[in-house]
């Protein structure tokens, strides 16, 4: 019974419907917004916009994860420990910057198009992941570390079998935050030339076509919620797998 | 079999261990005692190279441990610490199996060994599938010892393993450790700040102070011939005599004269006999015969003979 | 001679490398063309020598040296760097036609960032408390303000942009702050009682937090967009401040509710027990014990909410709410980088200032309860 009440179960089909079947809602929008022609945003199909948007988020989050976790590992090694306070300060101060500002500032450096969006998403995406990697790996108890070392596990084995599995839930939480923020920032990337689900929204706002704004907002909103739920499931599965105290 | 040869370690200006030299014979139980900051833990951790010695050599079975690859050395040495350090995300079975699997034992042998160790440490076989957070402190420490023994190392290093437990569990685990030592004949180095624990368990004791070895000898030697006032005070000062009583048994002093009353066993320590005399308000106690024949007795004056 | 302070060493080398490789300022004949990079060493000899000396000093301090010295030299270097940019702009525009633009180059930003980080590193090494950090911040901000008033930066394109739009800037800045203030106030007025309610009725918590979490996940531009439609149908000005404030309040609710609840729930139950035993009523316990003790956690939430609102208000400009975001998006539309900076930099400054002040406040209350 609980399975049927799972929100993911009906949100995922909703997303797919919106992506593929938006034209079906044509009469609805035509009735609600009689002044808008065509009633459905037509410059790109919503599926194409979604794939582009998802592409930006996926690539930037992957790069951010690699860099963020990598830096987190370095700063928790004995030889890299000196850099940890500064990296923690950077991750904290950096998250005070509005993500939109980072996007805007990327333009003078990288021009218009996909580049500033991708770079801004990656840079900003590193911060929550780095912060959580530092916290997660750093929270492995010293007794556990010492035991691992004393038993003859090589440094790589300790990282792979002990530190990372124990830090995984925290790191995943950081990746989740990063991805959700990136979904939002990527939408604003439309203003600097990236093709994303923000296109109908921004285009609609500029041209006064509220119907497009709603359509775009609906799709990107459901996309964000579905992604968040997916991460929540993943997090729960991870916690069950790596039973912790 | 474990030889420390002029070993030193300093941190900046502070000498943690200086010019330490002693040898622990194969199969001996050596307690390393001393006040806080005397370098006991540092000494222990230099043997499995968690800390690298600043100067001097450490040899195990004649081999200089500095010349061996660190991980290979550590897989041959068991290590048990006060905070245990069980891996929280692994089951008890996986925790115990850590070093055997690192040594690439066949899985069947690994599983056998897990069962062996659980029974050796008197744990319910069902424990193997549990997780550390589900066990009590005493059980966790037993698993810690089991994990240290898993790959059947020749040497066992223990750093105040029972320090965080309640007195009853501590006593039980001490007895178990003694039993394991008798039956397996492993060489054990045991750090403790509790002199009574050392006297109870050890064949030989190393007394450290400010990183230097002050005396090295059997419990008897330390009690009867303390090298200086510090050792005398550390061994018990004014209660030294009572500790001596704890080390000797009634069987050594029993006289053939029978006396009525509930007899005590011949293995009873003289300290316990004294305690019984006080409780029963008598100066002579009956002693059970070892063989089963007529018993003897022990008197107050026999205690101080 | 291995450097003892590797972090500082890396930062100084990075700063030097950036200035050696990249344009410190960019010079363009007019606003539409992107400029030619001008290197730092092409500046006035006095300034370049001064900076070189400070850089060498910092490098030496990274090999061996006390943190306080690194703090002083680093701060001096940062201020001199900023002054150098202004001075270079002044001298470059001196002989040039009035349409010429001198803007800040990537080497300026990168090396400025490295120097700022070296100041942070020095403060961390000193284990500086809030007081020393505040003092350092005041010195830097004060010096920059002084430089502004002496006209050091007047030749920079961003200053010119500001001067051209002075009135507009003031209006939008005020508007931005008003939007944030109103939204945060409303969020507290609605959220704090809600948080209190949730702390008293934990069974409701999952439902309420679930809904609020849902809101937080929705991208800001989408929420702004979704609110426009029904509001325009209701006849409430569809574009403008109202939907912006509503959206801002909705986004601010979760941190306020969550931190109010956490603050109250986090009070030691032993204290409450003792209070009840002494005969205090529930209301008295709430006002005299739970709220005061929960204050630091609540202030931490307030800090998160304010910083978040300052950032989100930029996006609100897209729906016509005004604020500093209007400069950002206008600038993006016209490819006028300085306009973008005119919007983005003050926002970042506001966010950092709000974050610092509120964390100071939270720390103050925390300490007086310790």
């Amino acid at each position: 019974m609980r399975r049927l009440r799972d929100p993911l179960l009906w949100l995922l089909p909703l997303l797919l419907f919106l992506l593929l079947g938006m034209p079906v809602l044509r009469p609805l929008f035509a009735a609600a917004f009689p002044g808008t022609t065509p009633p459905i945003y037509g410059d790109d199909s919503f599926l194409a916009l979604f794939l582009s948007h998802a592409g930006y988020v996926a690539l930037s989050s992957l790069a951010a994860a690699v860099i963020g976790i990598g830096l987190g590992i370095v700063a928790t090694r004995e030889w890299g420990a000196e850099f940890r306070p500064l990296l923690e300060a950077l991750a904290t101060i950096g998250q005070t910057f509005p993500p939109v500002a980072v996007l805007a500032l990327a333009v003078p450096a990288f021009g218009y198009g996909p580049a500033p969006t991708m770079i801004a998403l990656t840079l900003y995406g590193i911060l929550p992941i780095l912060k959580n990697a530092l916290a997660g790996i750093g929270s492995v108890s010293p007794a556990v570390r010492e035991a691992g070392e004393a038993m003859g596990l090589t440094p790589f084995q300790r990282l792979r079998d002990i530190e990372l599995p124990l830090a995984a839930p925290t790191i995943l939480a950081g990746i989740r935050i990063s991805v959700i923020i990136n979904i939002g920032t990527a939408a604003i990337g439309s203003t600097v030339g990236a093709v994303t689900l923000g296109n109908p929204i921004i285009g609609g706002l500029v041209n006064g076509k509220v119907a497009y704004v709603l359509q775009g907002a609906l799709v990107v909103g459901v996309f964000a919620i579905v992604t968040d739920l997916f991460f929540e499931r993943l997090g729960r599965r991870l916690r069950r797998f790596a039973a912790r105290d | 079999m474990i030889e420390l040869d002029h070993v030193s370690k300093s941190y900046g200006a502070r000498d943690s261990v200086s010019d330490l030299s002693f040898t622990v014979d194969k199969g001996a139980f050596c307690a390393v005692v001393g006040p806080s900051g005397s370098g006991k833990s540092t000494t222990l951790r230099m043997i499995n190279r968690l800390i690298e010695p600043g100067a001097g050599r450490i040899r195990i079975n004649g081999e200089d441990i500095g010349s061996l690859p660190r991980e290979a050395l550590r897989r041959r040495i068991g290590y048990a610490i006060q905070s245990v350090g069980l891996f929280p995300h692994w089951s008890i079975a996986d925790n115990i199996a850590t070093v055997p699997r690192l040594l690439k034992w066949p899985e069947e042998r690994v599983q056998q060994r897990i069962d062996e160790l659980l029974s050796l440490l008197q744990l319910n076989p069902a424990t193997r599938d549990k997780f550390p957070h589900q066990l009590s402190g005493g059980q966790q420490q037993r698993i810690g010892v089991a994990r240290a023994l898993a790959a059947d190392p020749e040497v066992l290093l223990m750093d105040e393993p029972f320090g965080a437990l309640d007195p009853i569990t501590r006593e039980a685990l001490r007895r178990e450790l003694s039993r394991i030592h008798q039956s397996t004949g492993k060489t054990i180095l045991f750090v403790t700040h509790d002199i009574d624990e050392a006297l109870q368990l050890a064949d030989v004791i190393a007394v450290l102070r400010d990183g230097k070895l002050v005396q090295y000898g059997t419990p008897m030697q330390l009690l009867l011939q303390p090298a200086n006032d510090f050792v005398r005070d550390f061994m018990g000062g004014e209660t030294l005599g009572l500790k001596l009583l704890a080390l000797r048994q009634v069987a050594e002093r029993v006289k053939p004269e029978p006396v009525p009353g509930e007899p005590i066993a011949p293995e009873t320590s003289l300290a316990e006999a004294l305690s019984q005399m006080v409780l029963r308000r008598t100066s002579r106690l009956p002693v059970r015969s070892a063989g089963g024949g007529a018993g003897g007795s022990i008197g107050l004056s026999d205690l101080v003979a | 001679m291995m450097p003892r302070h590797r972090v500082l060493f890396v930062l100084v080398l990075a700063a030097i490398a950036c200035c050696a490789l990249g344009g410190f300022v960019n010079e363009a004949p007019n606003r539409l063309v992107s400029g030619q990079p001008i290197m730092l060493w092409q500046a006035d000899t006095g300034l370049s020598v001064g900076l070189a000396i400070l850089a060498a000093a910092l490098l030496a301090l990274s090999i061996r040296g006390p943190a306080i010295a690194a703090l002083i030299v680093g701060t001096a270097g940062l201020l001199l760097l900023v002054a150098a940019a202004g001075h270079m702009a002044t001298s470059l525009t001196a002989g040039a036609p009035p349409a010429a633009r001198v803007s800040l180059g990537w080497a300026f930003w990168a090396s400025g960032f490295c120097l700022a980080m070296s100041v942070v590193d020095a403060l961390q090494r000193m284990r500086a408390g809030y007081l020393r950090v505040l003092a350092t911040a005041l010195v830097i901000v004060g010096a920059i303000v002084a430089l502004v008033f002496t006209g050091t930066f007047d030749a920079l394109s961003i200053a010119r942009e500001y001067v051209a739009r002075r009135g507009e800037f003031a209006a939008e800045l005020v508007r931005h702050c008003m939007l944030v203030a109103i939204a945060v106030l409303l969020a507290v007025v609605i959220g704090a009682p809600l948080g209190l309610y949730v702390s008293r009725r934990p069974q409701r918590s999952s439902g309420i937090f679930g809904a609020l979490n849902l809101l937080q996940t929705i991208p800001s531009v989408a929420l702004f967009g979704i609110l426009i439609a029904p509001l325009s149908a209701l006849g409430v000005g569809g574009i403008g401040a109202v939907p912006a404030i509503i959206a801002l309040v909705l986004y601010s609710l979760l941190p306020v509710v969550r931190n109010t609840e956490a603050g109250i729930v986090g009070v030691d139950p032993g204290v409450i027990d003792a209070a009840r035993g002494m005969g205090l009523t529930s209301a008295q316990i709430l006002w005299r014990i739970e709220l005061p003790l929960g204050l630091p956690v609540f202030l931490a939430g307030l800090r998160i909410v304010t910083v978040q609102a300052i950032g989100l208000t930029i996006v609100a400009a897209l729906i016509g709410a005004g604020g500093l975001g209007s400069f950002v998006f206008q600038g993006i539309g016209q490819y006028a980088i300085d306009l973008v900076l005119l919007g983005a930099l003050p926002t970042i400054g506001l966010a950092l200032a709000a974050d610092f002040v509120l964390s100071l406040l939270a720390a103050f209350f925390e300490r007086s309860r310790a």
Side-chain angles (χ1 to χ4, degrees):
Chain A
M1 247 304 136
R2 187 182 284 171
R3 269 296 174 88
L4 285 178
R5 291 171 58 192
D6 184 354
L8 204 56
L9 204 63
W10 54 269
L11 279 174
L12 201 53
L14 176 65
L15 180 65
L16 286 170
F17 168 69
L18 288 172
L19 290 178
L20 300 168
M22 189 66 86
V24 169
L25 295 173
R26 180 180 287 256
L28 191 69
F29 281 104
F33 302 97
T36 310
T37 44
I40 303 285
Y41 178 82
D43 288 3
D44 292 282
S45 79
F46 278 95
L47 184 64
L49 290 173
F50 168 75
L51 288 174
S52 175
H53 194 126
Y56 278 105
V57 175
L59 281 174
S60 60
S61 298
L62 192 65
V66 167
I67 298 175
I69 298 177
L71 284 175
I73 292 177
V74 166
T76 45
R77 304 302 96 192
E78 251 185 74
W79 48 269
E82 205 183 338
F83 290 84
R84 183 171 170 178
L86 191 67
L87 284 176
E88 268 170 346
L90 211 63
T92 312
I93 297 176
Q95 286 187 74
T96 321
F97 285 35
V100 190
V102 178
L103 181 64
L105 291 176
V107 172
F110 304 105
Y112 283 79
T117 308
M118 194 60 97
I119 294 180
L121 286 180
T122 307
L123 279 179
Y124 202 80
I126 293 176
L127 301 174
I129 300 180
L130 175 60
K131 182 159 198 214
N132 277 39
L134 288 172
I137 300 178
S139 72
V140 175
S141 95
V144 170
R145 274 181 215 276
E146 186 173 318
E149 202 185 344
M151 289 165 63
L153 288 159
T154 64
F156 174 71
Q157 284 168 329
R158 294 203 295 272
L159 186 64
R160 182 195 60 186
D161 295 335
I162 314 239
E163 291 180 286
L164 286 180
L166 286 175
T170 310
I171 295 179
L172 189 71
I175 296 179
R176 176 179 173 182
I177 294 172
S178 180
V179 169
I180 298 300
I181 294 179
N182 274 5
I183 291 179
T185 315
I188 304 180
S190 303
T191 56
V192 299
V195 173
T196 70
L197 289 166
N199 282 34
I201 302 179
I202 309 286
L205 285 171
V206 166
N207 297 318
K209 311 229 167 164
V210 181
Y212 296 170
V213 176
L214 255 184
Q215 288 154 21
L218 221 64
V219 179
V220 78
V222 175
F223 173 36
I225 297 175
V226 165
T227 310
D228 193 55
L229 281 172
F230 164 72
F231 269 103
E232 197 206 336
R233 295 305 136 85
L234 200 63
R236 240 186 274 164
R237 168 92 53 85
L238 210 67
R239 238 170 266 266
R240 221 181 301 149
F241 187 63
R244 312 181 47 198
D245 46 359
Chain B
M1 135 357 128
I2 302 180
E3 198 188 322
L4 275 82
D5 190 1
H6 296 291
V7 173
S8 301
K9 178 74 185 173
S10 37
Y11 291 103
R14 194 175 67 90
D15 284 334
S16 179
V17 171
S18 55
D19 203 31
L20 208 60
S21 295
F22 62 87
T23 303
V24 181
D25 293 327
K26 193 171 164 68
F29 192 122
C30 170
V32 180
V33 305
S36 301
S38 51
K40 323 187 283 293
S41 293
T42 310
T43 305
L44 202 75
R45 291 159 89 223
M46 283 196 279
I47 296 176
N48 64 359
R49 290 176 65 189
L50 282 179
I51 297 179
E52 295 286 357
R57 299 245 174 286
I58 300 180
R59 278 180 274 271
I60 296 185
N61 272 339
E63 267 184 292
D64 180 356
I65 62 169
S67 66
L68 298 167
R70 260 196 323 210
E71 272 84 40
L73 172 72
R74 290 174 186 162
R75 294 174 197 179
R76 287 168 39 191
I77 299 179
Y79 187 66
I81 50 178
Q82 188 174 116
S83 38
V84 193
L86 292 178
F87 305 135
H89 58 311
W90 284 357
S91 68
I92 298 304
D94 288 328
N95 262 283
I96 298 178
T98 309
V99 183
R101 284 189 184 142
L102 279 177
L103 293 172
K104 312 250 195 283
W105 283 19
E107 192 59 25
E108 208 185 297
R109 187 174 166 210
V110 174
Q111 294 304 320
Q112 236 175 10
R113 184 73 179 145
I114 296 174
D115 292 324
E116 253 169 56
L117 288 164
L118 285 176
S119 94
L120 179 70
L121 280 137
Q122 305 188 331
L123 286 161
N124 189 329
T127 318
R128 68 177 7 252
D129 293 319
K130 295 224 166 102
F131 283 84
H133 69 273
Q134 295 172 291
L135 302 183
S136 72
Q139 286 172 313
Q140 284 185 19
Q141 192 52 266
R142 280 172 211 255
I143 302 295
V145 176
R147 190 175 62 168
L149 290 170
D152 207 17
E154 291 179 295
V155 175
L156 198 55
L157 300 176
M158 307 182 91
D159 195 343
E160 312 218 36
F162 310 141
L165 303 169
D166 64 272
I168 297 178
T169 315
R170 227 182 298 162
E171 184 53 41
L173 281 172
R174 270 187 220 150
R175 243 177 269 142
E176 218 137 281
L177 185 61
S178 212
R179 188 176 47 84
I180 293 174
H181 177 237
Q182 308 289 10
S183 64
T184 60
K186 296 199 184 302
T187 313
I188 301 184
L189 243 84
F190 189 96
V191 164
T192 178
H193 64 271
D194 182 349
I195 190 59
D196 291 311
E197 191 170 62
L199 288 169
Q200 185 187 343
L201 295 170
D203 297 324
V204 74
I205 300 181
V207 181
L208 263 61
R209 187 194 193 193
D210 292 331
K212 297 195 189 40
L213 180 68
V214 178
Q215 191 171 357
Y216 183 80
T218 65
M220 269 309 183
Q221 285 172 334
L222 261 67
L223 286 173
L224 292 174
Q225 295 150 351
N228 56 28
D229 285 335
F230 168 74
V231 177
R232 184 178 307 123
D233 289 333
F234 194 80
M235 285 289 135
E238 273 143 27
T239 62
L240 231 158
L242 293 173
K243 300 207 196 291
L244 265 170
L245 285 181
L247 282 184
R248 293 198 156 105
Q249 291 182 349
V250 162
E252 298 170 45
R253 305 279 173 86
V254 68
K255 297 275 165 55
E257 309 142 28
V259 145
E262 181 74 42
I264 58 175
E267 318 84 65
T268 316
S269 70
L270 294 185
E272 225 181 293
L274 177 61
S275 173
Q276 279 299 314
M277 288 182 199
V278 169
L279 288 171
R280 298 190 204 183
R281 299 165 122 178
T282 171
S283 54
R284 195 142 205 106
L285 287 175
V287 180
R288 192 166 36 236
S289 140
S297 62
I298 184 164
L300 196 52
S301 48
D302 298 321
L303 294 179
V304 297
Chain C
M1 264 261 272
M2 283 306 293
R4 194 177 278 177
H5 309 294
R6 286 180 296 154
V7 181
L8 182 60
F9 187 71
V10 167
L11 285 171
V12 178
L13 279 185
I16 296 176
C18 290
C19 288
L21 296 172
F24 195 67
V25 293
N26 289 337
E27 184 181 20
N30 58 55
R31 172 180 218 256
L32 301 166
V33 181
S34 57
Q36 286 293 99
I38 313 276
M39 314 301 275
L40 180 57
W41 63 73
Q42 293 171 278
D44 189 21
T45 338
L47 278 172
S48 353
V49 167
L51 279 168
I53 293 178
L54 285 174
L58 214 53
L59 206 61
L61 283 171
S62 76
I63 296 178
R64 224 142 290 241
I68 180 102
L71 177 67
I72 295 173
V73 176
T75 310
L78 185 62
L79 292 171
L80 193 60
L81 196 81
V82 170
H87 189 91
M88 276 177 84
T90 314
S91 52
L92 281 171
T93 54
R101 292 267 185 237
V102 177
S103 57
L104 299 162
W106 75 262
F108 168 81
W109 292 112
S111 52
F113 171 76
C114 289
L115 282 176
M117 284 300 109
S118 68
V119 169
V120 172
D121 174 62
L123 286 167
Q124 282 177 331
R125 267 201 285 146
M126 286 164 60
R127 304 204 196 287
Y130 272 103
L131 226 54
R132 289 199 215 172
V133 176
L134 182 64
T136 311
L138 286 176
V139 163
I140 294 179
V141 171
I144 293 185
V145 168
L147 287 173
V148 167
F149 276 107
T150 58
T152 318
F153 304 123
D154 286 354
L156 282 167
S157 54
I158 183 173
R160 296 220 178 134
E161 194 73 53
Y162 166 73
V163 167
R165 297 175 182 258
R166 186 179 272 158
E168 222 183 306
F169 181 82
E172 297 296 8
L173 180 64
V174 168
R175 206 174 160 83
H176 196 112
C177 294
M178 290 293 299
L179 285 168
V180 171
I182 294 174
V184 171
L185 196 66
L186 282 175
V188 170
V189 163
I190 300 173
L194 195 58
L196 181 61
Y197 174 74
V198 172
S199 71
R200 298 282 189 247
R201 300 241 187 295
Q203 329 84 282
R204 301 281 189 184
S205 68
S206 65
I208 292 182
F209 280 122
L212 291 176
N213 259 308
L214 199 77
L215 278 173
Q216 284 281 314
T217 315
I218 301 178
S220 57
V221 73
L223 190 62
F224 286 128
I226 291 176
L227 282 175
I228 286 184
L231 285 177
S232 72
L234 281 169
V236 184
I239 305 278
V242 176
I245 292 182
I246 296 180
L248 286 173
V249 170
L250 288 176
Y251 275 120
S252 307
L253 278 179
L254 177 66
V256 172
V257 174
R258 186 181 53 202
N259 278 49
T260 308
E261 190 247 2
I264 292 182
V265 163
V267 175
D268 185 356
V271 172
I272 310 245
D273 215 26
R276 224 178 285 149
M278 286 193 274
L280 276 86
T281 67
S282 296
Q284 285 170 326
I285 293 181
L286 178 67
W287 285 105
R288 299 201 204 169
I289 300 185
E290 289 179 300
L291 289 181
L293 284 180
L295 195 61
V297 180
F298 173 77
L299 285 175
L302 197 66
R303 177 174 129 228
I304 294 172
V305 156
T306 310
V307 169
Q308 182 183 257
I310 292 174
L312 287 173
T313 309
I314 295 188
V315 185
L318 282 174
I319 61 167
L324 293 166
S326 0
F327 294 128
V328 173
F329 290 111
Q330 263 182 61
I332 287 179
Q334 300 170 17
Y335 198 76
I337 303 311
D338 294 305
L339 205 50
V340 173
L341 285 179
L342 196 64
L345 291 179
T347 319
I348 294 176
L350 271 178
L352 286 172
D355 186 69
F356 188 63
V357 167
L358 285 168
S359 56
L360 216 72
L361 210 65
F364 171 73
F365 279 106
E366 189 97 46
R367 217 174 306 144
S368 64
R369 257 147 199 74

